[in-house]
PDB file of all heavy atoms in Angstrom:
ATOM      1  N   HIS B 583     150.009  98.183 119.939  1.00 96.00           N
ATOM      2  CA  HIS B 583     149.447  99.527 120.057  1.00 96.00           C
ATOM      3  C   HIS B 583     150.396 100.515 120.766  1.00 96.00           C
ATOM      4  O   HIS B 583     149.990 101.580 121.225  1.00 96.00           O
ATOM      5  CB  HIS B 583     148.100  99.450 120.831  1.00 96.00           C
ATOM      6  CG  HIS B 583     147.032  98.793 119.998  1.00 96.00           C
ATOM      7  ND1 HIS B 583     146.320  99.473 119.042  1.00 96.00           N
ATOM      8  CD2 HIS B 583     146.601  97.517 119.925  1.00 96.00           C
ATOM      9  CE1 HIS B 583     145.471  98.640 118.427  1.00 96.00           C
ATOM     10  NE2 HIS B 583     145.647  97.460 118.969  1.00 96.00           N
ATOM     11  N   GLU B 584     151.670 100.107 120.840  1.00 96.00           N
ATOM     12  CA  GLU B 584     152.733 100.983 121.325  1.00 96.00           C
ATOM     13  C   GLU B 584     152.429 101.520 122.724  1.00 96.00           C
ATOM     14  O   GLU B 584     152.625 102.730 122.991  1.00 96.00           O
ATOM     15  CB  GLU B 584     152.980 102.084 120.332  1.00 96.00           C
ATOM     16  CG  GLU B 584     153.409 101.549 118.968  1.00 96.00           C
ATOM     17  CD  GLU B 584     153.641 102.612 117.927  1.00 96.00           C
ATOM     18  OE1 GLU B 584     153.285 103.767 118.155  1.00 96.00           O
ATOM     19  OE2 GLU B 584     154.141 102.249 116.867  1.00 96.00           O
ATOM     20  N   THR B 585     152.019 100.652 123.616  1.00 96.00           N
ATOM     21  CA  THR B 585     151.799 101.110 124.988  1.00 96.00           C
ATOM     22  C   THR B 585     152.813 100.492 125.933  1.00 96.00           C
ATOM     23  O   THR B 585     152.840 100.807 127.112  1.00 96.00           O
ATOM     24  CB  THR B 585     150.379 100.733 125.497  1.00 96.00           C
ATOM     25  OG1 THR B 585     150.263  99.340 125.538  1.00 96.00           O
ATOM     26  CG2 THR B 585     149.294 101.339 124.638  1.00 96.00           C
ATOM     27  N   THR B 586     153.675  99.580 125.428  1.00 95.00           N
ATOM     28  CA  THR B 586     154.617  98.884 126.334  1.00 95.00           C
ATOM     29  C   THR B 586     155.971  99.568 126.363  1.00 95.00           C
ATOM     30  O   THR B 586     156.364 100.276 125.438  1.00 95.00           O
ATOM     31  CB  THR B 586     154.795  97.422 125.886  1.00 95.00           C
ATOM     32  OG1 THR B 586     155.097  97.410 124.492  1.00 95.00           O
ATOM     33  CG2 THR B 586     153.553  96.629 126.123  1.00 95.00           C
ATOM     34  N   ASP B 587     156.683  99.367 127.465  1.00 96.00           N
ATOM     35  CA  ASP B 587     158.050  99.871 127.571  1.00 96.00           C
ATOM     36  C   ASP B 587     158.836  99.019 128.571  1.00 96.00           C
ATOM     37  O   ASP B 587     158.406  97.920 128.891  1.00 96.00           O
ATOM     38  CB  ASP B 587     158.026 101.364 128.015  1.00 96.00           C
ATOM     39  CG  ASP B 587     157.183 101.569 129.273  1.00 96.00           C
ATOM     40  OD1 ASP B 587     157.273 100.679 130.166  1.00 96.00           O
ATOM     41  OD2 ASP B 587     156.471 102.559 129.359  1.00 96.00           O
ATOM     42  N   HIS B 588     159.949  99.526 129.049  1.00 95.00           N
ATOM     43  CA  HIS B 588     160.852  98.739 129.884  1.00 95.00           C
ATOM     44  C   HIS B 588     160.240  98.296 131.210  1.00 95.00           C
ATOM     45  O   HIS B 588     160.719  97.409 131.857  1.00 95.00           O
ATOM     46  CB  HIS B 588     162.126  99.544 130.184  1.00 95.00           C
ATOM     47  CG  HIS B 588     161.826 100.767 131.047  1.00 95.00           C
ATOM     48  ND1 HIS B 588     161.283 101.951 130.513  1.00 95.00           N
ATOM     49  CD2 HIS B 588     161.951 100.970 132.366  1.00 95.00           C
ATOM     50  CE1 HIS B 588     161.122 102.808 131.484  1.00 95.00           C
ATOM     51  NE2 HIS B 588     161.455 102.240 132.635  1.00 95.00           N
ATOM     52  N   ARG B 589     159.135  98.932 131.612  1.00 96.00           N
ATOM     53  CA  ARG B 589     158.528  98.586 132.924  1.00 96.00           C
ATOM     54  C   ARG B 589     157.756  97.280 132.863  1.00 96.00           C
ATOM     55  O   ARG B 589     157.385  96.744 133.883  1.00 96.00           O
ATOM     56  CB  ARG B 589     157.580  99.713 133.345  1.00 96.00           C
ATOM     57  CG  ARG B 589     158.237 101.052 133.585  1.00 96.00           C
ATOM     58  CD  ARG B 589     157.154 102.127 133.806  1.00 96.00           C
ATOM     59  NE  ARG B 589     156.291 102.285 132.632  1.00 96.00           N
ATOM     60  CZ  ARG B 589     155.163 102.932 132.656  1.00 96.00           C
ATOM     61  NH1 ARG B 589     154.689 103.471 133.763  1.00 96.00           N
ATOM     62  NH2 ARG B 589     154.431 103.038 131.560  1.00 96.00           N
TER      63      ARG B 589
END
Side-chain angles (χ1 to χ4, degrees):
Chain B
H583 290 277
E584 299 179 350
T585 63
T586 51
D587 53 38
H588 66 280
R589 297 171 298 166

